[in-house]
Amino acid sequence: AAVYVGGSGKFAPLDPAAPSAPVFHAALAGVAINLSARSELGWFLGASAVVAVAICCVIVVGGLLGRSRTAVRVTLFVSAGLLVLAIGASVTFGLIGLTAADELSDGQDLVRSGMRLLGDADLDGANAALREANRKFASAEDRLDSPFGIAAAAVPVVAQHREAALTLGEEAADLTMLVSDLLDDLGPDSLAFADSRVDLDTVAEFDVALEEIQLSLDRLDSELDRVSSPWLVSPLQLRLDDLGEEIAEQRARADTATDVVTQLPALLGADETRTYLLMFTTPAEARGLGGFTGNWAEIVVDDGKVTLSAFGRSDELDAAAPAGSRTISGPTDWLQRYGEFGFTTGPGGTVGS
């Protein structure tokens, strides 16, 4: 071993008798063990750890050679004590983990149920399922974060399992509580008409709420990537993979919901007055080319205020636009799709029969 002599530009041999020599040697050994453990050797799973442990054993044995019997006994006693503590922490974590795993599994099933109920517009049922899921996740988090569970964080391999399960419980608990609170505060009832008007400020709050959900889903997804490890047992890793797929699905749904909410203010006349034509059909009068219109209505929306401006029978529309008398302009994609059904089939692209 050598040390750098400041100002000289040279390395000088380290005197083995110097007081700092044992500390320096210990530091070198620590660096060597860390480099070996983090070398990511691809021979087989755990190859880097095996090499690091082997180096550690060589260093310990070499360090004990020539030492007094007392030093050897103390070293062996301390090592045995640490081994017993590690085994005890692992066994305790295993017992805690069994209960926590059941709660995490139940919570995940409740989230799936809540999402299905939410898709069926059963908001009360969805909220109840998510509240119960939150309770399960929070309980699992408390068990894993207890003093007995914390001790497992010092045991290799066991620590990876604890961190993965703890992260799953913590982040899932936060997400389910967030969605449940938003259902309480921003359910569809908050978008109900009051004096024929929709509150556009409430619509904007939906946009903010969906953004919070997206951020929570992104954070949970990032945490799952962080805690995934080849050291995890297959059942836990499969559960994390399944949850990752569910997160991707929910993120896609949230993206769609965000797109809808983003467009809602404009659709409700926030920027300019909007006019909509509604066509009413019944299953008893269905036709092969899309249905038979019996009545129609015109709806005008201005700054969230909805007004029924006109209403009538379908023959009034026929009388107002006899074949060849009117030309429909845009939207272009609508004309391309539906123009052939009488809207552009008249002379010169006018309305047909």
Side-chain angles (χ1 to χ4, degrees), residues 87-101 148 152 158:
I87 294 174
S90 301
V91 172
T92 303
F93 175 77
L95 297 176
I96 294 174
L98 289 175
T99 304
F148 295 106
V158 178

Side-chain angles (χ1 to χ4, degrees), residues 250-285:
Q250 296 306 326
R251 288 170 71 181
R253 291 182 179 179
D255 285 339
T256 301
T258 300
D259 290 341
V260 172
V261 171
T262 301
Q263 297 296 328
L264 269 180
L267 292 171
L268 294 172
D271 303 321
E272 60 180 351
T273 301
R274 294 296 184 106
T275 303
Y276 299 98
L277 175 65
L278 306 183
M279 313 292 284
F280 296 93
T281 66
T282 70
E285 297 173 334

Side-chain angles (χ1 to χ4, degrees), residues 15-74:
D15 183 3
S20 60
V23 176
F24 188 79
H25 291 155
L28 288 178
V31 171
I33 293 171
N34 270 279
L35 289 175
S36 301
R38 301 174 187 276
S39 60
E40 298 184 1
L41 298 175
W43 304 334
F44 54 86
L45 178 61
S48 300
V50 170
V51 172
V53 170
I55 293 176
C56 196
C57 291
V58 170
I59 292 173
V60 171
V61 172
L64 291 176
L65 292 177
R67 300 291 178 180
S68 65
R69 288 187 176 182
T70 301
V72 174
R73 288 173 181 174
V74 170

Side-chain angles (χ1 to χ4, degrees), residues 29-342:
V31 171
I33 293 171
N34 270 279
L35 289 175
S36 301
R38 301 174 187 276
S39 60
E40 298 184 1
L41 298 175
W43 304 334
F44 54 86
L45 178 61
S48 300
V50 170
V51 172
V53 170
I55 293 176
C56 196
C57 291
V58 170
I59 292 173
V60 171
V61 172
L64 291 176
L65 292 177
R67 300 291 178 180
S68 65
R69 288 187 176 182
T70 301
V72 174
R73 288 173 181 174
V74 170
T75 302
L76 294 176
F77 179 79
V78 171
S79 299
L82 291 175
L83 180 61
V84 170
L85 289 176
I87 294 174
S90 301
V91 172
T92 303
F93 175 77
L95 297 176
I96 294 174
L98 289 175
T99 304
D102 289 339
E103 290 176 324
L104 291 174
S105 179
D106 292 343
Q108 197 169 345
D109 291 339
L110 285 166
V111 169
R112 291 195 189 97
S113 177
M115 291 299 103
R116 286 196 299 269
L117 292 171
L118 192 60
D120 294 337
D122 184 357
L123 301 186
D124 291 337
N127 199 351
L130 291 175
R131 289 283 182 186
E132 181 63 15
N134 173 263
R135 191 185 68 79
K136 293 285 188 180
F137 288 134
S139 177
E141 179 188 355
D142 290 341
R143 292 180 187 277
L144 295 169
D145 213 20
S146 65
F148 295 106
I150 292 176
V155 182
V157 180
V158 178
Q160 282 91 328
H161 287 79
R162 175 185 176 274
E163 183 178 15
L166 184 61
T167 298
L168 176 58
E170 182 179 0
E171 295 295 335
D174 291 344
L175 178 59
T176 50
M177 179 58 72
L178 171 63
V179 176
S180 184
D181 288 344
L182 292 175
L183 286 176
D184 284 337
D185 299 335
L186 295 175
D189 289 344
S190 61
L191 288 179
F193 285 93
D195 191 25
S196 300
R197 182 184 298 275
V198 175
D199 186 355
L200 297 183
D201 291 335
T202 302
V203 174
E205 292 179 12
F206 270 88
D207 197 10
V208 175
L210 287 170
E211 184 177 352
E212 292 181 13
I213 293 176
Q214 285 282 47
L215 291 175
S216 295
L217 288 171
D218 291 342
R219 185 172 63 250
L220 178 55
D221 195 34
S222 298
E223 287 297 307
L224 289 180
D225 289 339
R226 183 180 65 82
V227 301
S228 293
S229 168
W231 291 102
L232 298 180
V233 294
S234 181
L236 179 56
Q237 187 60 56
L238 288 175
R239 183 166 291 278
L240 293 179
D241 292 341
D242 289 343
L243 182 58
E245 294 177 0
E246 290 181 20
I247 290 173
E249 182 179 342
Q250 296 306 326
R251 288 170 71 181
R253 291 182 179 179
D255 285 339
T256 301
T258 300
D259 290 341
V260 172
V261 171
T262 301
Q263 297 296 328
L264 269 180
L267 292 171
L268 294 172
D271 303 321
E272 60 180 351
T273 301
R274 294 296 184 106
T275 303
Y276 299 98
L277 175 65
L278 306 183
M279 313 292 284
F280 296 93
T281 66
T282 70
E285 297 173 334
R287 295 293 186 270
L289 291 179
F292 179 83
T293 300
N295 296 319
W296 60 271
E298 183 185 75
I299 301 294
V300 177
V301 187
D302 182 22
D303 194 29
K305 177 75 172 181
V306 182
T307 304
L308 176 65
S309 54
F311 180 84
R313 295 287 295 170
S314 58
D315 54 5
E316 296 177 26
L317 298 180
D318 295 333
S325 65
R326 302 290 183 93
T327 300
I328 295 179
S329 58
T332 303
D333 58 342
W334 189 89
L335 289 175
Q336 290 174 345
R337 177 173 295 181
Y338 298 108
E340 62 182 291
F341 299 106

